[in-house]
């Protein structure tokens, strides 16, 4: 039907009040599973170091004659490794007028920005520690910055890669990045291979951390012919279809699968790798914890800088494993 002539409507009116909810809705994930899992410890220098060692390979030929005139084994020294602390920061600047203006969803603009930037800083730290970033000692006068080697760069002993890939190496005090191989689909065979390798090396990981997409592929391991089928659960007379799996009872222990949304948010460079983790053998070293700084005023503004100085301490990389070169975001990326 046509509108009656001269109808006065909202499009014509002047003075209708606006409606703006006194709430700001944000669902961007800010959880940090890796950081929460590994815990933290204080470090007192920008280059914390530690030592690793191995036992000799067992032999079956260790038999000696009576009256043996002893000779002495050569002693292999420990390996000294370390990582560098890096400084990460977020900042915000707000005019005095905006800070004091009546607003919807927040009272003090700079306070909201500090909270938001702090959450962003924590997710930066999460993906940096999981990344394939090489360590860097940096150089003076701000020419280059110190960088902490990421978890992917550290893992070499139990590194399941595809063609063209190679593990990172520790040389001259610097942990180098791994070389990516050809990307491939995640499979049960890859997972089993990493678990076996890590077990043989002496590790006892109980966490498998991966991108959300890889977690969905893991759940489809239920469809493999050599897996005990699990399809539905009956509770109080109703059937529940089970289309996911959260734990994996391997030949060498129970593995809990932990999806990490930050790995997907960081993109393919991080999502392409999934990790077997022993939380007792890796930690975050904190030189200076997250702090909020208020720089000196140089204008009619409010300034804040949130920063932190930290590193990743991998006690012994052989305790962990990596399923590398995976399609981590989709079936082809």
């Amino acid at each position: 039907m046509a509108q009656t002539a001269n109808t006065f409507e909202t499009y014509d009116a002047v003075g209708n009040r606006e409606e703006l909810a006194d709430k700001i809705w944000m669902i961007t994930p800010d959880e940090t599973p890796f950081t929460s899992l590994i815990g933290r410890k204080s470090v007192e220098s920008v280059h914390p170091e530690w030592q690793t060692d191995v036992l000799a390979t067992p032999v079956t030929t260790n038999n000696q004659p009576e009256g043996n005139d002893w000779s002495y084994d050569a002693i292999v020294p420990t390996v000294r490794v370390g990582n560098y602390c890096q400084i990460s920061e977020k900042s915000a600047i707000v005019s005095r007028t905006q800070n004091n203006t009546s607003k919807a969803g927040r009272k003090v603009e700079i306070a909201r920005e500090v909270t938001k930037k702090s959450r962003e800083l924590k997710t930066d730290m999460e993906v940096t520690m999981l990344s394939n970033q090489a360590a860097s000692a940096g150089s003076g006068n701000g020419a280059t910055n110190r960088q902490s080697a990421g978890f992917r760069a550290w893992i070499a002993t139990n590194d399941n890669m595809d063609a063209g890939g190679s593990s990172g190496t520790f040389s001259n005090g610097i942990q180098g990045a791994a070389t990516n191989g050809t990307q491939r689909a995640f499979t049960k065979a890859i997972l089993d291979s990493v678990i076996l390798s890590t077990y043989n090396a002496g590790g006892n990981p109980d966490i498998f951390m991966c991108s959300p997409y890889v977690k969905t592929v893991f759940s489809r391991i239920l469809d493999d012919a050599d897996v005990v089928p699990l399809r539905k659960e009956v509770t109080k007379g109703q059937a529940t279809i089970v289309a996911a799996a959260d734990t994996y009872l391997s030949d060498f222990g129970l593995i809990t699968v932990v999806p990490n949304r930050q790995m997907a948010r960081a993109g393919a460079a991080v999502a392409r790798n999934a990790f077997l983790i022993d939380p007792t053998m890796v930690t975050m070293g904190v030189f200076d914890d997250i702090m909020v700084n208020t720089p000196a005023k140089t204008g009619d503004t409010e300034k804040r800088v949130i920063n932190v100085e930290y590193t990743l301490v991998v006690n012994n990389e052989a305790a962990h494993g990596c399923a590398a070169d995976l399609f981590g975001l989709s079936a082809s990326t």
Side-chain angles (χ1 to χ4, degrees):
M1 296 176 63
Q3 186 186 78
T4 303
N6 296 324
T7 298
F8 186 71
E9 51 185 356
T10 58
Y11 301 103
D12 306 314
V14 174
N16 289 350
R17 291 188 180 276
E18 66 175 9
E19 180 180 351
L20 178 59
D22 195 25
K23 181 74 174 179
I24 298 173
W25 301 97
M26 182 170 63
I27 65 164
T28 307
D30 66 346
E31 70 269 22
T32 53
F34 185 68
T35 304
S36 300
L37 177 72
I38 65 176
R40 56 171 56 200
K41 70 174 185 178
S42 296
V43 297
E44 298 179 351
S45 74
V46 299
H47 185 215
E49 296 180 279
W50 57 97
Q51 299 175 77
T52 64
D53 203 359
V54 295
L55 298 177
T57 303
V59 299
T60 60
T61 57
N62 191 354
N63 57 83
Q64 310 298 334
E66 290 187 22
N68 184 35
D69 189 5
W70 293 321
S71 60
Y72 297 90
D73 299 331
I75 294 178
V76 179
T78 58
V79 177
R80 182 172 174 170
V81 295
N83 206 353
Y84 287 90
C85 291
Q86 78 173 54
I87 301 170
S88 298
E89 66 182 36
K90 293 284 185 178
S91 59
I93 181 170
V94 176
S95 73
R96 174 188 53 80
T97 305
Q98 173 59 22
N99 203 46
N100 295 332
T101 296
S102 178
K103 298 171 288 293
R106 67 277 196 201
K107 291 184 178 179
V108 182
E109 191 74 44
I110 195 66
R112 176 180 181 272
E113 288 302 320
V114 166
T115 300
K116 179 182 176 182
K117 297 297 183 182
S118 298
R119 293 165 68 183
E120 292 173 350
L121 181 58
K122 290 178 181 179
T123 56
D124 282 356
M125 295 166 65
E126 174 86 354
V127 297
T128 297
M129 288 192 289
L130 285 167
S131 74
N132 190 26
Q133 176 175 277
S136 173
S139 56
N141 302 316
T144 58
N145 303 325
R146 289 192 305 275
Q147 292 186 167
S148 169
F151 199 44
R152 171 69 190 101
W154 277 103
I155 296 175
T157 303
N158 311 303
D159 197 358
N160 189 299
M161 301 164 286
D162 205 11
S166 61
S167 303
T169 57
F170 190 83
S171 177
N172 298 320
I174 299 293
Q175 180 62 43
T179 300
N180 289 331
T182 304
Q183 281 187 278
R184 56 191 174 157
F186 175 63
T187 64
K188 178 177 178 293
I190 293 173
L191 177 59
D192 286 342
S193 176
V194 180
I195 293 173
L196 175 61
S197 175
T198 307
Y199 180 81
N200 284 338
N204 294 289
D206 57 4
I207 299 293
F208 182 68
M209 186 168 290
C210 59
S211 71
Y213 172 74
V214 172
K215 171 61 169 65
T216 67
V217 179
F218 169 82
S219 292
R220 292 199 293 272
I221 286 176
L222 293 170
D223 296 327
D224 284 9
D226 58 345
V227 174
V228 176
L230 175 61
R231 287 297 176 270
K232 66 180 180 179
E233 177 181 296
V234 179
T235 305
K236 295 181 180 179
Q238 293 187 341
T240 300
I241 301 300
V242 178
D246 298 312
T247 57
Y248 183 63
L249 183 57
S250 74
D251 289 312
F252 309 105
L254 189 67
I255 308 293
T256 300
V257 182
V258 178
N260 189 329
R261 289 191 281 204
Q262 305 305 340
M263 296 173 73
R265 294 186 67 223
V270 175
R272 66 182 290 137
N273 302 302
F275 302 101
L276 272 178
I277 305 169
D278 180 346
T280 68
M281 295 295 288
V282 57
T283 191
M284 179 174 69
V286 180
F287 182 80
D288 271 325
D289 211 345
I290 293 176
M291 65 185 77
V292 180
N293 302 280
T294 304
K297 290 181 72 67
T298 56
D300 193 14
T301 60
E302 291 289 340
K303 304 173 185 176
R304 299 292 186 272
V305 177
I306 306 100
N307 63 4
V308 63
E309 191 161 359
Y310 67 104
T311 190
L312 183 67
V313 178
V314 182
N315 297 342
N316 192 313
E317 59 82 22
H320 316 282
C322 180
D325 305 324
L326 306 178
F327 292 134
L329 299 177
S330 71
S332 59
T333 61

